[in-house]
Amino acid sequence: MEALDQPDNFPQVFKKYQGLLSFPEKGLYACICSFVEETYLKSFLKDIVRILLSCGAESVFPVIYVKNSALFVLSSPTLAHQEKIRQSLEELHYPQQCVTFETSFLHGDTSEDLFAQIISKISRYERILLIRPETGETRDFHNNMAAPWRISKLREAFTASPAETDIPSLLDSVFTPSMTPDVAKNIALGLFLNPDNSGQEPPLDIACDFFRRLYSCTQTSEIRKLAEIVLLQEKDEAASSKGGANISLLKSYVEAHLDCETLSLKWLAENYLFVSVGYLSKQFVKEEGIRFSDYLNKKRMEQAIRLMVYYHNDNIKTIARSVGFGNNPQYFSQVFKKYTGYTPTEYIEKVGASAPS
């Protein structure tokens, strides 16, 4: 646990405890067995003891278990032992087991190098079990996923990321399916409070909206989405004004969701950007020079015109639904005539007349 809390200080931590563990300097390797569900972990551990005994391999450290994977450290000088262990593990089967076990091996030039790899492998898991397979004695540890050093590392990774498209994959490596909502909230909170390491506090109204939204989330997936918005805003703010960042994200969302009937500034403020609607409205008028509702209708009419040009034989109801007017073609017609000077029927006839036969 000390090594997990001090990843940059691993060599010193390893040397501190090496004398208590009686590790050989070399000749260790680790076997990782995947798809070991916790429901049959006890049976699996009994079989591990039997397999190692039959292979003449010695376990020198408790089994490490994290999210359906068991890792054990062995002292054995030959690859033949490893292959025998692999075959024996992959032949195991339990009544409630759904998939075949998969095995892989870690090797290091030294024991310190091997354990550095192990620490790196397990560091992204919140719950870590250490188990003595001979006795079943278990220690249940909780890795502090929201530790300040870890949040700092995340910030550095996000800042160094060259593209916005990298952020979702980085977040997927942090917000794992096994993560509890409470831990996810702590991570999102750490990322929000000082996302760019500038020490500058976010505006009070934005902070209040974020806190309200964060603590209303009940699923880790919701919290991950909230963190993604925070980081996208941070990315845009590095290249533009704070207001510009919000408006850029808003416009991108609108372009991708013109067919959404419930799209509104209130919805975007509360569910996508997590700012107050009044704040966002003022930002939008300042940046774009028009109200959001006028901007949205303009974009929808532009899309409707494109659809009429491409598919001028289509039903007006279909086009109205495709640009976010749902089952209200009458309102669509009113807006369309205000924007173009034509009713949809007149415009389609005009387009049809000018189209090549």
Side-chain angles (χ1 to χ4, degrees):
M1 295 309 297
E2 192 172 329
L4 287 168
D5 286 338
Q6 302 180 41
D8 295 333
N9 197 35
F10 179 77
Q12 288 74 20
V13 174
F14 184 83
K15 287 178 174 60
K16 177 179 176 180
Y17 292 101
Q18 189 174 14
L20 302 174
L21 298 171
S22 303
F23 287 143
E25 186 65 26
K26 297 183 178 181
L28 293 184
Y29 67 95
C31 177
I32 303 173
C33 189
S34 303
F35 308 118
V36 184
E37 296 180 18
E38 196 165 347
T39 53
Y40 47 81
L41 183 56
K42 287 184 179 179
S43 299
F44 176 81
L45 292 170
K46 289 179 181 178
D47 283 324
I48 285 295
V49 174
R50 175 181 57 79
I51 290 170
L52 295 183
L53 186 62
S54 67
C55 295
E58 180 187 2
S59 176
V60 299
F61 196 77
V63 173
I64 301 172
Y65 181 78
V66 289
K67 191 56 180 176
N68 292 354
S69 292
L71 182 152
F72 36 102
V73 182
L74 305 171
S75 176
S76 179
T78 68
L79 291 176
H81 280 85
Q82 293 181 22
E83 187 56 30
K84 189 174 180 181
I85 290 170
R86 180 200 298 273
Q87 291 176 357
S88 298
L89 286 172
E90 294 182 355
E91 288 172 0
L92 288 178
H93 185 77
Y94 305 110
Q96 63 271 54
Q97 181 183 330
C98 300
V99 294
T100 304
F101 293 142
E102 290 185 5
T103 55
S104 59
F105 295 92
L106 294 177
H107 302 86
D109 293 334
T110 64
S111 299
E112 179 183 323
D113 179 44
L114 177 67
F115 270 87
Q117 293 181 60
I118 292 171
I119 290 296
S120 176
K121 287 278 186 184
I122 68 175
S123 63
R124 68 189 186 96
Y125 295 97
E126 178 191 357
R127 181 172 178 250
I128 301 171
L129 300 182
L130 291 184
I131 311 167
R132 294 189 184 278
E134 302 84 358
T135 64
E137 181 187 358
T138 302
R139 293 287 184 272
D140 193 336
F141 294 99
H142 289 270
N143 189 14
N144 184 7
M145 303 301 293
W149 71 264
R150 198 182 297 272
I151 296 296
S152 180
K153 289 286 186 183
L154 288 176
R155 288 177 187 148
E156 290 174 9
F158 293 133
T159 301
S161 172
E164 289 183 1
T165 53
D166 296 332
I167 288 178
S169 59
L170 286 170
L171 285 171
D172 287 340
S173 70
V174 176
F175 293 93
T176 60
S178 60
M179 179 174 287
T180 64
D182 284 344
V183 172
K185 286 177 182 179
N186 287 336
I187 294 174
L189 187 60
L191 290 170
F192 173 79
L193 287 175
N194 190 13
D196 57 2
N197 288 326
S198 66
Q200 184 177 0
E201 295 181 358
L204 183 59
D205 57 346
I206 294 179
C208 288
D209 281 326
F210 174 83
F211 297 149
R212 175 186 56 78
R213 180 62 181 172
L214 176 63
Y215 288 102
S216 69
C217 292
T218 58
Q219 303 292 327
T220 296
S221 58
E222 295 178 280
I223 300 164
R224 179 217 168 280
K225 183 62 180 177
L226 174 57
E228 181 176 341
I229 296 302
V230 169
L231 292 165
L232 286 171
Q233 288 171 329
E234 174 193 346
K235 204 78 176 174
D236 279 354
E237 284 164 16
S240 64
S241 68
K242 202 172 191 77
N246 279 333
I247 302 310
S248 175
L249 287 169
L250 182 151
K251 289 166 68 177
S252 296
Y253 191 94
V254 167
E255 289 285 349
H257 297 85
L258 282 173
D259 61 336
C260 180
E261 187 178 358
T262 59
L263 193 62
S264 67
L265 191 66
K266 185 175 187 296
W267 189 93
L268 288 163
E270 294 179 352
N271 298 279
Y272 184 61
L273 294 172
F274 310 107
V275 298
S276 72
V277 64
Y279 175 81
L280 187 60
S281 178
K282 291 177 182 178
Q283 277 189 320
F284 194 89
V285 172
K286 180 179 179 182
E287 292 288 327
E288 298 298 314
I290 59 174
R291 296 180 305 168
F292 173 78
S293 58
D294 294 332
Y295 173 84
L296 178 59
N297 280 335
K298 176 175 178 290
K299 287 295 178 183
R300 282 176 163 165
M301 294 307 104
E302 289 172 353
Q303 177 66 359
I305 288 171
R306 281 192 289 270
L307 292 174
M308 289 176 182
V309 170
Y310 292 141
Y311 311 106
H312 52 267
N313 292 324
D314 263 6
N315 189 289
I316 292 173
K317 289 183 179 180
T318 303
I319 293 174
R321 191 161 47 248
S322 298
V323 294
F325 284 84
N327 294 316
N328 195 347
Q330 293 83 5
Y331 181 52
F332 167 71
S333 297
Q334 293 174 12
V335 176
F336 190 87
K337 185 169 185 179
K338 179 180 178 182
Y339 181 79
T340 64
Y342 298 94
T343 67
T345 301
E346 292 170 343
Y347 196 88
I348 288 175
E349 289 175 354
K350 175 186 172 188
V351 169
S354 61
S357 56

